[in-house]
Amino acid sequence: LLVDYQRVRDAEVAVFLARINQLLADYHKRVEMIESFVYMHCVGIQLEKHYSQLRSEALADWEQKTDITTAINIATKKNLPALVDELRVKLESLSPSISHTSMKKAKEKHLASKLVKEDLQKLAERRFQRTRETSTERAIAMIKMWSQHEEKVTHDELRVLGELINEMEKHITRDIIEKDGGAHLLAVATATSRSNLR
């Protein structure tokens, strides 16, 4: 009887562990998905940061070119040819791609990157919420499965112990206990007297 019970219990443990393993694998996938949403959010932040820096650089270059051009005009009006020549050399040393148009394009790219960042953030948050909710459900399912398994095992153990006690009561008589030296009778008498006192 005990051997059969142990076999059944061992088989149930294997099935239980396989189910838990499957739930843990699914939970692991969900954690990876959550990490990818965090990564998606970080990509949006880095994208916006990159175009913000490019916009700042384009604005600084444009302001420098405008300042030099303004200084050339003032030096020309004041009839300072040496200063005009020096400023023109500085102006020519700047990149030819610096223009009002390039500054505007940098601003547009920066604003577009902000929109992309916001869209990525919203998408990541929506998917994160859904995944987080189902991940919580998976954790609850694991706990529930474990508690149901423990309840079933406990119930089976109580049933088998009851059957064992019945078998023992059928086969062990007072004569067998007395032949054994009667030590068990003292324990039985003590237990009986304690229960009668209560």
Side-chain angles (χ1 to χ4, degrees), residues 14-33:
V15 170
F16 168 70
L17 290 177
R19 287 180 183 162
I20 287 289
N21 191 32
Q22 185 179 9
L23 284 173
L24 286 173
D26 184 52
Y27 193 77
H28 180 73
K29 287 178 188 174
R30 291 186 185 284
V31 169
E32 286 179 346
M33 288 171 61

Side-chain angles (χ1 to χ4, degrees), residues 1 4 20 22 37 47 69 87 105 135 138 173 197:
L1 191 62
D4 290 339
I20 287 289
Q22 185 179 9
F37 301 146
L47 181 71
T69 304
L87 290 171
K105 284 182 182 179
S135 294
R138 295 290 185 201
T173 63
L197 290 175

Side-chain angles (χ1 to χ4, degrees), residues 75-127:
T76 303
K77 286 181 185 177
K78 294 195 176 197
N79 200 15
L80 302 168
L83 183 58
V84 169
D85 291 339
E86 184 182 330
L87 290 171
R88 284 193 187 186
V89 169
K90 277 189 178 181
L91 185 62
E92 290 170 3
S93 69
L94 295 177
S95 172
S97 65
I98 298 172
S99 67
H100 189 259
T101 304
S102 65
M103 186 190 68
K104 277 186 158 185
K105 284 182 182 179
K107 179 181 177 181
E108 289 169 3
K109 286 179 181 179
H110 178 229
L111 294 176
S113 72
K114 279 186 172 187
L115 294 175
V116 169
K117 178 186 113 177
E118 289 173 11
D119 289 344
L120 282 174
Q121 184 176 4
K122 288 175 187 174
L123 178 65
E125 285 176 7
R126 273 196 319 268
R127 289 188 176 176

Side-chain angles (χ1 to χ4, degrees), residues 182-197:
H184 295 74
L185 287 175
L186 178 63
V188 170
T190 307
T192 307
S193 65
R194 282 187 189 159
S195 65
N196 289 337
L197 290 175

Side-chain angles (χ1 to χ4, degrees), residues 164-194:
L164 280 173
I165 289 171
N166 288 336
E167 285 295 315
M168 288 173 61
E169 286 175 348
K170 285 180 190 175
H171 297 290
I172 298 176
T173 63
R174 190 170 196 83
D175 292 337
I176 294 172
I177 293 173
E178 286 174 358
K179 287 179 186 175
D180 189 31
H184 295 74
L185 287 175
L186 178 63
V188 170
T190 307
T192 307
S193 65
R194 282 187 189 159

